Amino acid sequence: KNEVEQSPQNLTAQEGEFITINCSYSVGISALHWLQQHPGGGIVSLFMLSSGKKKHGRLIATINIQEKHSSLHITASHPRDSAVYICAVPYSGGGADGLTFGKGTHLIIQP
Amino acid sequence: DGGITQSPKYLFRKEGQNVTLSCEQNLNHDAMYWYRQDPGQGLRLIYYSQIVNDFQKGDIAEGYSVSREKKESFPLTVTSAQKNPTAFYLCASSILSGTSLLRPHNEQFFGPGTRLTVL
């Protein structure tokens, strides 16, 4: 079973700061997911990536398959970015047997 | 619009009662999943199903049961054997890996969740 470690667990920053959240996993994977969870509980998929880098608006996700590490960056952070960000990888590395999740990073962006 | 629905959003039950959480999807996905979330912990896999009439246990299946009689539906029953059932429950679905050239990996789509409180 894959194990996922995320850091930091909590992060408070000022509006406009550059944010980095890190994720490490133990077993080689087919793809890694970055998810966003708002206070109501609903989860939105931000990225699914298997190599290199992806960008969507102010969000950038990178992955290093050899080092089993991924980062999520937020540029020009805004209070509406405040949420829990979760990294997830396939339960056993690949296939459709579910995901293993990190504990999440609770991000607060202060105006 | 395609998506996943879970109902109800909030559910209260007395200790010792079984309760069934609904999950329906109209995305034509083959695979469906149930996860549980507790404060300070990552989501954990309860059960998953890759095809109708078949399902597999995840990490924390004890005290839970599921059925998959239809492709669109994957209800989860929290039985009285589940020692600590109060939690947030999330359902998800995905295509199976390798079944689409456009999406070779199992991107998962999540429902809005059901918050179960057992009194």
Side-chain angles (χ1 to χ4, degrees):
Chain A
K1 181 195 161 188
N2 226 326
E3 302 288 340
V4 180
E5 294 287 336
Q6 260 186 262
S7 63
Q9 281 190 295
N10 297 285
L11 179 57
T12 300
Q14 295 298 120
E15 184 173 356
E17 287 189 39
F18 181 81
I19 303 299
T20 295
I21 299 170
N22 295 301
C23 174
S24 297
Y25 52 92
S26 59
V27 176
I29 58 171
S30 55
L32 179 142
H33 303 248
W34 280 105
L35 310 166
Q36 182 189 57
Q37 185 172 32
H38 279 283
I43 288 183
V44 174
S45 179
L46 298 174
F47 294 103
M48 187 180 69
L49 67 166
S50 54
S51 64
K53 180 165 87 172
K54 283 191 175 180
K55 185 174 189 290
H56 181 68
R58 294 180 294 104
L59 299 175
I60 303 166
T62 64
I63 188 167
N64 184 320
I65 295 293
Q66 286 74 30
E67 295 189 2
K68 297 187 180 65
H69 181 269
S70 176
S71 293
L72 176 69
H73 306 284
I74 305 175
T75 62
S77 59
H78 190 277
R80 66 174 173 266
D81 296 327
S82 299
V84 177
Y85 292 85
I86 302 170
C87 168
V89 298
Y91 190 73
S92 58
D97 56 355
L99 297 175
T100 298
F101 298 80
K103 292 184 180 179
T105 295
H106 189 192
L107 174 66
I108 298 173
I109 304 297
Q110 294 178 334
Chain B
D1 287 333
I4 301 176
T5 57
Q6 289 184 245
S7 60
K9 191 172 174 67
Y10 298 96
L11 189 54
F12 297 88
R13 278 295 182 270
K14 290 184 180 178
E15 194 172 343
Q17 289 182 333
N18 289 359
V19 60
T20 297
L21 280 57
S22 164
C23 177
E24 305 277 332
Q25 54 98 0
N26 60 3
L27 299 167
N28 199 33
H29 286 169
D30 290 297
M32 296 187 75
Y33 313 84
W34 274 106
Y35 298 98
R36 169 183 170 138
Q37 187 177 40
D38 295 281
Q41 294 199 41
L43 285 89
R44 292 178 290 168
L45 181 64
I46 305 173
Y47 268 100
Y48 66 98
S49 167
Q50 297 183 358
I51 195 170
V52 172
N53 292 324
D54 186 53
F55 44 83
Q56 309 295 328
K57 293 182 179 179
D59 275 337
I60 54 167
E62 186 176 349
Y64 298 99
S65 66
V66 292
S67 62
R68 187 86 187 276
E69 296 177 3
K70 299 185 297 182
K71 187 175 183 177
E72 313 80 60
S73 178
F74 191 39
L76 173 75
T77 297
V78 185
T79 75
S80 55
Q82 168 50 233
K83 292 187 173 65
N84 187 16
T86 294
F88 186 61
Y89 291 88
L90 275 160
C91 179
S93 70
S94 72
I95 61 168
L96 286 177
S97 296
T99 56
S100 167
L101 289 175
L102 294 176
R103 291 186 176 181
H105 308 294
N106 54 329
E107 178 179 8
Q108 292 196 10
F109 295 80
F110 291 86
T114 293
R115 193 166 298 278
L116 172 65
T117 302
V118 175
L119 306 169

